[in-house]
Amino acid sequence: MVHDYDELAPGIFFFGDDGKVAKEMHYSEFEAVLDGYVPAAEWAGRSAKAVYAEIDSDFEVRSAVFFHVSFTKKGEVDPSWNLPLDQLARAATAGPDLGSGPIRLACSSQCPIQHFRDFLWDPDLRMGKGQLKQLHTACKRNKLAIQFREPDLYRTDHEVGFPAGHSVKSGMSSDLLEKSLFDRLRKEYEKEFRDHMAQMLREQRLKASTLTTESEKSIQELKAEHTRRLDEYRAMLEEKDRILHEEKEKNAQLKETIDGQAKKIEGLREYFEHKLEQAQGAEEFHIERLRENYEAEMAAKIESAVKEVKETLQMREVELLYRNEQEAHLQVEIAHLREENHSLISNSGDQLLEKMVSKGISFVTYQPGAGHITIPATDVSTFMESPAVYAAKHCGVNEQHYIAWLAHYQAPVCNCKGADGSICGANIPRINSPVDFILGDGDRCATHKDLQGATKLVRAGA
């Protein structure tokens, strides 16, 4: 395709995991991929980083939009993807200078339309490195074979070096001409210097914004990881306490049984000792028989008591094994029922959802803490099954943590219970993000905060 000399040629550049340009295509080819005519097999089932670039006749980048695009397992673009690349390029603000003046740049940290910010990504703005350098080199290489028509040759008064409507008079003195040229050059250099300083300030602001976005993302990931580990340690401690309590109850029951048997044996021993004392004046044979009977009966009683304790322990083990088997069976049955329920919900609405998506309808929901979430058609049934679980997963926390934060978010008061069972109810600052919320600290007032206990819990788990 041949473009006019003053026209901008659009192109799409895909970046690989190594940060280099992996594939280039004309925008018309990318539209064919969007329409499903030409699948991208090399990106099947993956999410790619791409750039929409507009190139001038000198093969310089004039505008760039850094965006994400997801592909299905068949290599087709995700049907929910809908990004106006040309509109973002036209509305983009000034970015770095790649050699022929500042380009128009749209990325996550500098998005002209905030609604599409999550679909964009930030390039590496270090001098001479990163994706902008790769993009500039690829455009200069021109593997896409972009062609431009030759411009019409013409001359104006501007090309001579004088303002329009002015010409060099033969009678003009050299001093006056030198002064005029000096004034013009000084104004042009001053303007160029101001433009250069303004461009440097814009580039520095963009770099600072990009670094801020990356640091905020890292902080959010660390907070989510800290919250997840804190929840895991708290669950482990609760499970250990439950097991310890059960073992104490079992030991108490066994101790009672053993104490009862010991009392019985002590009573029998006292009984036979009394009989033995009464028979001391009898014959030696009779005494020996009594001693033998005593030892035999004692051995039988002890054996009976030991057997009874063993049978009791075996019965407890059989009951525990049977209960574990029942729990495993019930867990399998519950998982099977959930799969059937999910399958029924998914199959019943697949045709309607596919028809709505083909008409350009997107599913967006607002959940506290997660904001506006665009729900893919494949996740609608999952969202309808449990919006809280879906929102918690989007926020990077578990369901229990999200529900506890939601209760605090809807009623930011101290929920610490006193000795009489009443709730404190003091107003506390609301925490707007689930990852910043810590149970036992964020839902307590300054008087009832349990931060020290939470710190001990983390140290114990570590």
Side-chain angles (χ1 to χ4, degrees):
M1 183 175 181
V2 182
H3 302 272
D4 292 335
Y5 180 78
D6 57 349
E7 187 181 359
L8 295 178
I12 302 295
F13 299 84
F14 290 87
F15 284 87
D17 297 333
D18 56 355
K20 297 181 180 180
V21 176
K23 186 174 183 179
E24 307 173 23
M25 63 173 62
H26 292 279
Y27 185 67
S28 57
E29 299 178 45
F30 184 66
E31 288 180 330
V33 176
L34 290 176
D35 295 335
Y37 295 112
V38 183
E42 64 272 25
W43 297 102
R46 299 166 56 192
S47 179
K49 288 183 176 181
V51 179
Y52 169 83
E54 293 181 345
I55 309 168
D56 62 10
S57 58
D58 294 327
F59 300 102
E60 296 283 353
V61 180
R62 304 311 306 166
S63 61
V65 179
F66 290 77
F67 65 95
H68 291 284
V69 57
S70 299
F71 294 88
T72 63
K73 294 182 179 180
K74 296 181 180 179
E76 300 175 350
V77 177
D78 191 343
S80 63
W81 189 90
N82 185 16
L83 204 62
L85 298 176
D86 53 350
Q87 182 179 353
L88 289 172
R90 288 193 300 270
T93 55
D97 187 350
L98 299 184
S100 61
I103 67 172
R104 294 195 304 270
L105 177 65
C107 59
S108 180
S109 298
Q110 185 173 286
C111 182
I113 305 176
Q114 292 299 317
H115 178 68
F116 299 111
R117 179 178 180 182
D118 294 338
F119 298 94
L120 305 183
W121 57 284
D122 288 326
D124 189 352
L125 299 179
R126 291 178 294 178
M127 185 64 67
K129 299 181 179 180
Q131 294 81 7
L132 286 174
K133 179 65 175 178
Q134 295 290 330
L135 181 63
H136 180 264
T137 303
C139 292
K140 284 294 185 181
R141 188 169 55 240
N142 193 23
K143 287 181 61 177
L144 297 177
I146 300 174
Q147 299 181 9
F148 293 90
R149 296 185 179 90
E150 292 295 332
D152 296 333
L153 299 177
Y154 60 92
R155 292 175 62 86
T156 64
D157 291 340
H158 295 281
E159 298 176 354
V160 181
F162 296 94
H166 295 270
S167 61
V168 180
K169 295 181 179 180
S170 59
M172 182 180 291
S173 63
S174 61
D175 293 339
L176 184 60
L177 179 60
E178 182 179 356
K179 182 179 180 181
S180 177
L181 290 174
F182 177 76
D183 291 339
R184 287 190 58 210
L185 290 174
R186 182 173 58 81
K187 292 179 180 179
E188 289 180 0
Y189 282 135
E190 288 178 354
K191 182 178 181 300
E192 183 177 354
F193 178 74
R194 288 194 299 269
D195 293 342
H196 181 67
M197 291 300 296
Q199 175 62 22
M200 288 182 63
L201 288 174
R202 283 194 295 268
E203 290 183 6
Q204 292 300 324
R205 291 193 189 100
L206 180 58
K207 290 180 180 179
S209 177
T210 303
L211 292 174
T212 302
T213 302
E214 292 178 356
S215 62
E216 288 178 353
K217 188 180 295 183
S218 299
I219 290 172
Q220 291 296 330
E221 291 177 355
L222 289 174
K223 286 183 178 178
E225 180 66 17
H226 171 72
T227 303
R228 183 185 64 80
R229 289 189 177 182
L230 194 61
D231 292 338
E232 289 180 356
Y233 295 148
R234 183 179 287 109
M236 291 172 58
L237 184 61
E238 292 176 354
E239 180 66 18
K240 295 291 185 183
D241 290 340
R242 185 185 63 80
I243 295 174
L244 181 62
H245 180 69
E246 291 180 355
E247 293 296 330
K248 286 182 178 180
E249 291 182 350
K250 291 180 180 179
N251 290 336
Q253 293 176 358
L254 291 174
K255 187 176 182 300
E256 291 178 357
T257 303
I258 293 173
D259 291 342
Q261 297 296 332
K263 290 180 179 179
K264 291 181 180 179
I265 294 172
E266 182 66 22
L268 291 173
R269 186 182 65 80
E270 292 178 354
Y271 170 74
F272 285 107
E273 285 180 352
H274 179 69
K275 289 182 65 177
L276 185 60
E277 290 176 356
Q278 291 180 350
Q280 285 181 354
E283 295 179 351
E284 190 70 25
F285 177 77
H286 184 64
I287 294 174
E288 186 65 25
R289 292 293 302 273
L290 287 176
R291 183 180 289 109
E292 291 177 357
N293 290 336
Y294 167 74
E295 291 176 355
E297 290 183 7
M298 284 290 294
K301 293 293 184 180
I302 293 172
E303 183 180 357
S304 176
V306 172
K307 184 178 180 181
E308 183 178 354
V309 172
K310 288 183 178 179
E311 290 178 353
T312 303
L313 291 175
Q314 290 177 355
M315 290 178 62
R316 293 302 177 94
E317 291 178 356
V318 172
E319 289 177 359
L320 182 59
L321 179 62
Y322 179 72
R323 185 180 64 182
N324 291 337
E325 291 179 353
Q326 283 186 329
E327 287 182 356
H329 179 71
L330 290 175
Q331 291 292 339
V332 172
E333 186 174 355
I334 290 171
H336 180 66
L337 291 175
R338 284 180 177 173
E339 291 178 359
E340 289 184 352
N341 185 28
H342 181 73
S343 176
L344 290 174
I345 294 175
S346 300
N347 294 332
S348 63
D350 283 345
Q351 296 180 354
L352 178 60
L353 293 177
E354 291 176 359
K355 186 174 181 181
M356 293 175 71
V357 170
S358 64
K359 297 296 182 180
I361 297 176
S362 299
F363 302 94
V364 181
T365 180
Y366 177 82
Q367 296 295 327
H372 289 89
I373 306 173
T374 301
I375 306 175
T378 55
D379 292 346
V380 171
S381 60
T382 304
F383 171 78
M384 294 182 64
E385 181 179 356
S386 179
V389 174
Y390 193 89
K393 182 179 180 182
H394 193 273
C395 293
V397 298
N398 57 34
E399 180 184 5
Q400 182 180 3
H401 183 88
Y402 180 80
I403 292 175
W405 168 84
L406 185 60
H408 159 75
Y409 182 82
Q410 294 173 348
V413 296
C414 178
N415 62 0
C416 180
K417 292 185 178 181
D420 57 350
S422 61
I423 297 177
C424 174
N427 292 328
I428 59 175
R430 175 180 290 166
I431 298 175
N432 295 321
S433 176
V435 296
D436 296 333
F437 177 75
I438 298 178
L439 187 62
D441 177 72
D443 57 349
R444 302 289 178 88
C445 62
T447 305
H448 298 108
K449 277 190 177 181
D450 195 20
L451 184 58
Q452 184 178 3
T455 305
K456 290 181 178 180
L457 179 60
V458 173
R459 291 178 178 175

